[in-house]
Amino acid sequence: MNKKFYQLTAEERLEALGLDESIKAFYACNQSKDSEQLIENYVTDYRLPEGILRNLQVDGQVYQVPMVTEEPSVIAAANNGASITNLGSAFITTQVGEPVLGGQILFDHVDYEELNRFVVDHVDDIFQAAKEAKPSMVSRGDGLEAVQLEDLTDHRAVLNLTVKTGKAMGANAMNTILEAVKMLFSSYEKNIVGAILTNAGHDAVVSVETKLPVAAVGGLEAAKKISALSTFGQVSPDRAVTENKGIFNGLAAVVLATGNDYRAVEAAGHAYASRDGKYRSLSKWMVDETAETLVGKIEMPLNIGVLGGAIAALPTAKKNLELLGNPTVEELKSVMLATGLANNLAALKAVSGRGIQAGHMKMQARTLAVQAGASGADIQTVANRLIKSPRIDQKTAEDILGAIENDTQN
């Protein structure tokens, strides 16, 4: 009996794909037993580089922050932004989101008033079902906290559940609770479209801010330009998209490094950026009334964890949390937001000043050197010469590398 593709071992899948021997050997040497258990149809590990944001100060504590990203300038920008904020207040948490997650049971073609009476009559049963579904959560003080029926248009309604998740992000626990609660609505079975968590994070909004002397960014005029550029992120959705992308450059790199779900975090962030019907930047920068201080603030929902989920299966994620000093969920949220705001500051300073391209190309030069075939010490040598050349592209990098190799041979 032939096995289905998902039933094969990783080695057997490579054989089944009929790959060129060189590709097959490359995939095979990058396989790991830990990763094989994480996803369907596993064939190999796709590796991304990890770097460190040094000495990020948040709420009086100093962190060495792991960041996983493929973009050359992200970690340099985070370090630049963080070092600037250290000249002022560094980063301060101004709002701590609750460690809660939302879930929904979705009803269609339903009479809201009738359904609402059912919910009111069975609210104790709903809490009991949730408790029995995840008794371990209740024993540590977590579990279902609130139930609310929401009336939507055209005979649609949503039963919203709010679950306190504690140290874990809680996705699997939430879905388990939803399935248990759904069983109570057997008389509405034909009306239930689905039961699933929501990543919106309405009750998990976190805020972090920083205050720094205008001298830290080059003086009052430079600070005013940063503030003016930030304002465009509030009034121009196209500008806001780019600004939020820069924020997530840093924020998502920490989310990924700690084994959390960066897709969920980004989706919640973008939804929050559109909460009033217009897409805006998640950050705001302004010069205060004294004209001596530049104030920056970032605010968005964060549903993350420090245990459970993929973290338990990713050894590097667990070590990265140790590197961070085994932070609480609340501390990690603040570190993530602070990193995003640090990247944001560095980008705004560059764009409103000398322009973003100069700094980007310094980092890109190393990537071009590698693409040209440079290795070892030659990578930096090619990059240094490339930065000084009139054109910064792969062809120029190849020419520079060729010249270096000729000099070595001669």
Side-chain angles (χ1 to χ4, degrees):
M1 179 178 176
N2 291 332
K3 293 181 180 178
K4 294 182 179 179
F5 192 75
Y6 76 88
Q7 295 173 319
L8 301 175
T9 65
E11 293 79 5
E12 290 170 339
R13 290 189 197 109
L14 293 180
E15 293 294 337
L17 289 170
L19 301 173
D20 178 88
E21 286 299 321
S22 64
I23 299 176
K24 186 167 65 175
F26 177 83
Y27 283 163
C29 75
N30 285 290
Q31 291 175 343
S32 68
K33 293 300 180 184
D34 289 335
S35 297
E36 189 172 6
Q37 306 305 316
L38 285 177
I39 62 168
E40 193 89 343
N41 293 345
Y42 172 82
V43 293
T44 195
D45 283 358
Y46 183 101
R47 297 178 183 174
L48 290 172
E50 177 175 315
I52 297 295
L53 164 54
R54 288 279 285 159
N55 301 328
L56 179 76
Q57 295 187 40
V58 184
D59 298 325
Q61 187 166 341
V62 178
Y63 296 91
Q64 312 306 319
V65 185
M67 300 177 69
V68 173
T69 181
E70 86 298 342
E71 190 169 332
S73 61
V74 169
I75 297 175
N79 277 277
N80 181 24
S83 65
I84 293 172
T85 67
N86 287 346
L87 299 174
S89 68
F91 295 101
I92 300 169
T93 304
T94 55
Q95 179 180 349
V96 180
E98 293 293 322
V100 296
L101 188 64
Q104 299 179 306
I105 300 178
L106 312 167
F107 297 85
D108 200 6
H109 302 294
V110 71
D111 183 300
Y112 172 78
E113 296 300 333
E114 176 189 298
L115 180 58
N116 190 51
R117 285 193 295 272
F118 183 91
V119 171
V120 171
D121 290 343
H122 293 83
V123 68
D124 290 341
D125 297 328
I126 291 172
F127 274 88
Q128 185 61 31
K131 180 179 179 180
E132 292 177 358
K134 296 296 294 184
S136 59
M137 292 185 75
V138 178
S139 66
R140 61 175 182 261
D142 301 324
L144 182 61
E145 286 199 329
V147 178
Q148 178 254 335
L149 187 67
E150 181 181 1
D151 188 11
L152 302 178
T153 59
D154 299 325
H155 301 287
R156 297 184 184 94
V158 175
L159 184 67
N160 293 303
L161 305 186
T162 302
V163 171
K164 186 176 179 182
T165 56
K167 294 182 179 181
M169 187 269 188
N172 291 331
M174 170 58 82
N175 288 331
T176 298
I177 289 171
L178 285 167
E179 288 300 319
V181 171
K182 189 175 72 170
M183 299 295 291
L184 299 174
F185 292 83
S186 57
S187 58
Y188 289 92
E189 183 177 0
K190 69 179 188 307
N191 305 104
I192 295 178
V193 175
I196 187 70
L197 67 87
T198 172
N199 293 113
H202 298 299
D203 299 309
V205 175
V206 184
S207 301
V208 167
E209 72 173 24
T210 184
K211 297 179 180 180
L212 53 148
V214 295
V217 294
L220 179 58
E221 291 306 310
K224 285 181 177 179
K225 284 187 176 182
I226 289 172
S227 176
L229 183 57
S230 174
T231 300
F232 274 89
Q234 299 300 317
V235 298
S236 167
D238 286 358
R239 172 60 201 154
V241 169
T242 306
E243 196 159 321
N244 286 339
K245 188 271 181 184
I247 289 169
F248 281 116
N249 274 344
L251 200 160
V254 184
V255 175
L256 189 58
T258 55
N260 279 284
D261 187 345
Y262 67 91
R263 286 92 48 193
V265 167
E266 291 198 21
H270 292 305
Y272 192 74
S274 306
R275 63 193 180 280
D276 65 356
K278 184 171 184 177
Y279 188 82
R280 304 179 189 276
S281 173
L282 293 164
S283 70
K284 292 180 180 179
W285 291 87
M286 64 194 73
V287 178
D288 74 359
E289 63 276 2
T290 69
E292 296 178 351
T293 304
L294 179 65
V295 181
K297 182 176 181 179
I298 185 170
E299 177 181 283
M300 63 169 278
L302 270 179
N303 280 128
I304 57 138
V306 294
L307 55 78
I311 298 170
L314 295 171
T316 306
K318 289 189 285 189
K319 290 297 180 184
N320 284 342
L321 288 169
E322 289 182 26
L323 172 65
L324 281 162
N326 291 314
T328 65
V329 172
E330 292 75 18
E331 289 169 343
L332 184 56
K333 288 179 179 181
S334 296
V335 166
M336 289 175 175
L337 276 191
T339 304
L341 193 57
N343 275 89
N344 182 228
L345 173 59
L348 292 175
K349 184 173 182 292
V351 172
S352 64
R354 60 177 180 157
I356 201 85
Q357 193 64 359
H360 268 287
M361 292 316 296
K362 284 185 178 180
M363 298 297 168
Q364 185 65 15
R366 288 204 298 258
T367 301
L368 289 169
V370 173
Q371 291 174 352
S375 60
D378 285 344
I379 295 174
Q380 194 60 53
T381 303
V382 171
N384 291 340
R385 295 186 187 181
L386 188 59
I387 291 167
K388 298 176 182 178
S389 68
R391 294 177 58 188
I392 302 179
D393 56 25
Q394 187 172 338
K395 176 62 169 59
T396 306
E398 290 171 353
D399 292 343
I400 293 170
L401 179 61
I404 292 172
E405 291 174 343
N406 285 336
D407 292 343
T408 302
Q409 291 171 1
N410 294 331

